[in-house]
Amino acid sequence: MHEKAKARLRVLVRWMRRDAGMVTSEYAMGIIAAVAFAVLLYEVVTSGQVKTELQNIVKRALSARM
């Protein structure tokens, strides 16, 4: 390998190692956000008024004529 190619490879390896920790933290933040959204959605869907409306929609859909 030429010296210039080796130097470029070393720079590339250093650059890739510097960025290695970001991927894990981004996944962690994405998982935390997804779980928070799921909890919020669960709370909204199981609340009294929304639950009643969803049940009414399902009842109307099941009793509809085809």
Side-chain angles (χ1 to χ4, degrees):
M1 234 185 213
H2 296 310
E3 289 305 314
K4 278 188 174 182
K6 286 181 182 178
R8 287 182 182 163
L9 184 59
R10 280 192 297 268
V11 169
L12 179 63
V13 168
R14 274 191 231 127
W15 180 79
M16 290 175 69
R17 285 183 180 163
R18 178 181 57 110
D19 197 34
M22 289 181 61
V23 174
T24 303
S25 64
E26 288 171 356
Y27 281 125
M29 292 304 294
I31 290 170
I32 290 170
V35 169
F37 181 73
V39 169
L40 179 66
L41 185 61
Y42 176 79
E43 290 295 322
V44 168
V45 170
T46 58
S47 69
Q49 185 177 2
V50 174
K51 189 174 181 179
T52 303
E53 288 298 321
L54 287 174
Q55 286 175 345
N56 289 337
I57 291 170
V58 171
K59 285 179 186 175
R60 277 186 273 149
L62 292 175
S63 64
R65 295 183 119 183
M66 299 216 181

